[in-house]
Amino acid sequence: MKKLPIELQTLIVKELPTRDICRLQQTCKAFYDLIEGNSEVWKERLRRQCSTDVLWSSFSGFTASELRRACTGTLRFKHRYRRGGNPKPPIPRLLPYNSEHDNHLYRQWQEIEESDNPYPEISATFLVPGGRFLITVDMKWLRVWDLGSPGSLNEPCEVVRYERLHCVDMIPEIADAIVVGKDTVHLLIQEFYSQDTLPQSFGINRSEYSLNRGSMFAFFHRFQIRLPDRGQPSVKFLDRLCVLHSGSDISVAQHGPIVAFGMGPRVLLWGTSDSPDKSWVASASRTCEHAVCQKVFFHQGYAFFADSASLNGFDLTGITHRPVGKGLVDLQRGSPDIGSIPPPRTWTHQQDFHDNFRARATDFMLHKPVAEAGPLFYEIRHPQLQATQQQPGSDPSEGTYLQFCFSFHPDDPTASSLGPTKRYRTTSQPCDTPYFYFALDEGVRGYIWYGRYNFNRRGKGANIRIFVSIVDDPDSPEPSASDIEGLGYFSEMIEWTNSKPPGVLSISVCPLSGRVVVLWGQEFGGEHLVETFDLYDSSRVTT
């Protein structure tokens, strides 16, 4: 290979897996020099690793060394946590306070809470895949922060600050966020409105709707955030929707201009547009009235709604819809369907899921990013298996999960298949329920767990620990549900040891960059705290 022209050597190296490139680099000085500073090699490898779900502009302006660091991020992550070790805890960082903004509000929090927390009012966070940009939301502002390149512990920099004039003065949550294109994120913000009247901005007469004690308003606001390689980052408001429903849990997914909602036994599709007269809605009642929808996703031209009982797919072609009009949709129990959505294709889970079983949302994990084609995998916690399949001497509180593989053929849906592939038991675990799933690379996945524990002998006080477990076995469409498999070794990632530990409201992990963002929430007082961690570095860098 050394006798080949440099250009041809470079083309060959690009086709190698990242681990093999690192090994080739160590064989001799010639290959070391060819690879080490070759931005073209590392940029191509990173592009292949990132696929379409990672914001490519996160790596703009990177040197060859920084590109190499990002490419090998998943390898370092696996080395750090695979065998259940306890590496040195990462150093937490708070978001910086800018004295030019919200000075009065900041002084109030400082006086009341006596805290160094610069943004205690933040209610939702999203670490954009790629690990460089962080989105935060509070009752007034939508902010985007640049956390810097992988390995950098420089102070985060606010690059976008947008006042959400279209939102109601309620505590907002991020219902869904997806990467669309190399520099764009679609963000869906949700607010639960507990009042029995709508804000005046909607201009809706309350007497037009029949409200009861179970009625609840949910507001959804959709934004487009652009973070280009060059040029000014921007936020654009796309559309908003108000849904009057019966208090059911809501699951959400986005795909292009369409948003799909699962609200108990109801399905709602919303075609968004920055032109209000072009937005539309359509709804349908699901065939399984008792089932609670836990996950929504798009795949090959269908919107899929999965729960513990079945998987239902709605064809996105042939929908009859109506304009949104004033921006409110009535989906209360007993309300008629809006427009017409073709009847769903239904695949039933195996029979030992009882009809009255309710899977909690945190117990249902979809393997993301959802593939554009090919088999899909998801897992559901199975209490019947816990009760009947316990091994002798095992803890009855251990969680048992069943993984399903769905092979969908849109040209012939009847040829599609859904079946169990693996059964997992959380043996020797610090917690019994994983709260977050992420992919590392082909055949490797990880889970995030967290819980509260007593940390002194007298049982006074407690701490919060966040763990990670890694499973190395590859996904396989071949059924093997009779085999009990573990969920990997458990490594402590982050620990909070203060006398008053908060709860974990959300957590984001990016193995490529080694970044973790945790949104903590106090039980009393309502203060939230955003902390960022860099797993691959244990010393702070000053600017």
Side-chain angles (χ1 to χ4, degrees):
M1 180 172 168
K2 293 181 183 179
K3 297 180 180 180
L4 297 175
I6 295 298
E7 293 78 8
L8 189 54
Q9 291 184 39
T10 301
L11 289 175
I12 294 174
V13 172
K14 286 181 181 180
E15 298 300 319
L16 297 176
T18 300
R19 186 186 296 274
D20 291 343
I21 295 177
C22 295
R23 289 171 177 169
L24 178 64
Q25 189 179 8
Q26 298 171 357
T27 58
C28 67
K29 185 178 185 303
F31 284 137
Y32 180 88
D33 293 339
L34 170 69
I35 296 171
E36 178 63 18
N38 195 327
S39 297
E40 186 181 346
V41 168
W42 296 116
K43 185 176 292 186
E44 176 63 19
R45 286 308 312 162
L46 187 59
R47 185 189 65 80
R48 297 190 184 192
Q49 285 183 229
C50 291
S51 64
T52 58
D53 66 303
V54 174
L55 194 76
W56 180 247
S57 57
S58 298
F59 311 105
S60 64
F62 276 22
T63 64
S65 176
E66 290 172 329
L67 290 169
R68 182 185 188 279
R69 185 179 183 87
C71 284
T72 57
T74 54
L75 299 178
R76 295 199 304 280
F77 191 96
K78 288 186 290 185
H79 177 75
R80 183 182 178 97
Y81 293 114
R82 172 178 280 136
R83 287 296 172 183
N86 289 287
K88 186 176 181 180
I91 297 175
R93 293 187 292 160
L94 297 179
L95 298 175
Y97 172 68
N98 187 338
S99 59
E100 296 178 1
H101 305 317
D102 306 330
N103 191 42
H104 176 67
L105 176 63
Y106 179 68
R107 285 201 305 269
Q108 284 184 323
W109 277 106
Q110 288 287 75
E111 295 170 0
I112 297 174
E113 302 292 341
E114 298 181 355
S115 169
D116 293 329
N117 180 11
Y119 297 98
E121 72 279 9
I122 286 177
S123 58
T125 61
F126 175 69
L127 180 64
V128 180
R132 181 168 180 172
F133 297 102
L134 172 67
I135 299 172
T136 64
V137 175
D138 57 56
M139 287 194 296
K140 186 178 181 181
W141 301 104
L142 186 161
R143 292 181 170 92
V144 181
W145 305 86
D146 186 347
L147 304 181
S149 61
S152 167
L153 293 183
N154 298 331
E155 185 174 85
C157 174
E158 181 184 293
V159 295
V160 174
R161 191 167 68 99
Y162 179 84
E163 187 170 9
R164 298 178 298 100
L165 301 176
H166 299 277
C167 289
V168 187
D169 189 21
M170 302 297 292
I171 297 177
E173 300 176 0
I174 295 178
D176 190 52
I178 58 172
V179 174
V180 287
K182 63 180 182 179
D183 63 1
T184 305
V185 175
H186 280 172
L187 183 72
L188 188 69
I189 294 177
Q190 174 178 319
E191 299 172 286
F192 290 104
Y193 193 67
S194 58
Q195 306 298 321
D196 59 358
T197 58
L198 285 169
Q200 293 182 354
S201 61
F202 275 82
I204 295 174
N205 186 351
R206 181 181 182 277
S207 63
E208 297 178 8
Y209 301 93
S210 176
L211 305 181
N212 53 56
R213 292 183 178 179
S215 301
M216 180 178 294
F217 294 106
F219 295 95
F220 296 93
H221 313 267
R222 200 164 190 234
F223 296 88
Q224 176 180 283
I225 301 174
R226 291 197 68 244
L227 301 164
D229 291 347
R230 297 176 179 84
Q232 186 68 26
S234 63
V235 176
K236 179 181 179 181
F237 173 73
L238 295 180
D239 207 351
R240 75 170 178 177
L241 183 72
C242 175
V243 180
L244 178 57
H245 60 104
S246 300
S248 304
D249 291 336
I250 302 176
S251 53
V252 184
Q254 304 177 84
H255 181 70
I258 300 179
V259 182
F261 301 89
M263 301 181 178
R266 301 295 292 272
V267 170
L268 174 66
L269 298 179
W270 174 31
T272 65
S273 172
D274 52 4
S275 300
D277 58 330
K278 295 182 180 179
S279 298
W280 56 265
V281 287
S283 69
S285 299
R286 302 171 67 212
T287 55
C288 191
E289 283 288 334
H290 64 270
V292 178
C293 184
Q294 300 298 336
K295 280 295 179 183
V296 180
F297 61 91
F298 290 91
H299 181 59
Q300 299 191 76
Y302 277 66
F304 289 94
F305 296 76
D307 54 47
S308 59
S310 61
L311 178 66
N312 295 275
F314 292 84
D315 191 348
L316 296 179
T317 61
I319 297 175
T320 302
H321 48 75
R322 71 163 174 80
V324 175
K326 296 180 179 180
L328 186 144
V329 175
D330 188 354
L331 284 188
Q332 296 180 97
R333 194 176 305 277
S335 299
D337 290 339
I338 302 168
S340 176
I341 302 177
R345 298 280 184 174
T346 301
W347 295 267
T348 305
H349 290 132
Q350 64 179 40
Q351 295 180 354
D352 52 1
F353 278 96
H354 294 318
D355 288 346
N356 60 358
F357 170 50
R358 301 289 195 271
R360 299 207 318 267
T362 54
D363 297 344
F364 188 111
M365 291 175 290
L366 177 68
H367 295 206
K368 292 184 177 181
V370 177
E372 296 181 1
L376 301 176
F377 296 89
Y378 59 86
E379 296 162 358
I380 302 179
R381 193 176 190 183
H382 200 319
Q384 278 69 44
L385 287 178
Q386 287 178 235
T388 61
Q389 302 289 339
Q390 293 286 348
Q391 295 178 343
S394 62
D395 185 348
S397 65
E398 293 170 357
T400 301
Y401 295 82
L402 203 59
Q403 181 188 98
F404 287 89
C405 174
F406 178 51
S407 296
F408 181 57
H409 303 281
D411 295 336
D412 184 12
T414 58
S416 305
S417 63
L418 174 67
T421 63
K422 291 183 177 69
R423 184 177 298 161
Y424 301 100
R425 174 166 294 152
T426 55
T427 55
S428 303
Q429 82 286 10
C431 318
D432 69 342
T433 302
Y435 287 85
F436 183 77
Y437 166 91
F438 60 92
L440 280 170
D441 51 33
E442 186 177 356
V444 183
R445 58 192 181 279
Y447 299 87
I448 298 296
W449 317 65
Y450 47 84
R452 179 172 298 187
Y453 306 91
N454 292 331
F455 65 87
N456 59 34
R457 295 180 179 179
R458 296 181 180 180
K460 295 182 179 180
N463 63 358
I464 291 289
R465 293 180 181 178
I466 298 175
F467 297 87
V468 59
S469 64
I470 296 175
V471 181
D472 292 291
D473 54 339
D475 290 324
S476 171
E478 298 299 325
S480 59
S482 60
D483 298 328
I484 299 292
E485 304 181 23
L487 279 178
Y489 296 87
F490 290 81
S491 296
E492 184 176 305
M493 177 185 285
I494 297 166
E495 182 179 20
W496 181 294
T497 57
N498 291 356
S499 58
K500 295 182 179 180
V504 179
L505 299 181
S506 67
I507 181 170
S508 301
V509 179
C510 177
L512 275 174
S513 65
R515 289 251 164 74
V516 178
V517 175
V518 181
L519 177 63
W520 308 93
Q522 296 286 357
E523 289 187 0
F524 304 101
E527 180 179 351
H528 294 169
L529 176 68
V530 179
E531 285 190 326
T532 65
F533 301 85
D534 284 77
L535 301 178
Y536 306 148
D537 295 270
S538 57
S539 61
R540 189 178 298 275
V541 176
T542 58
T543 57

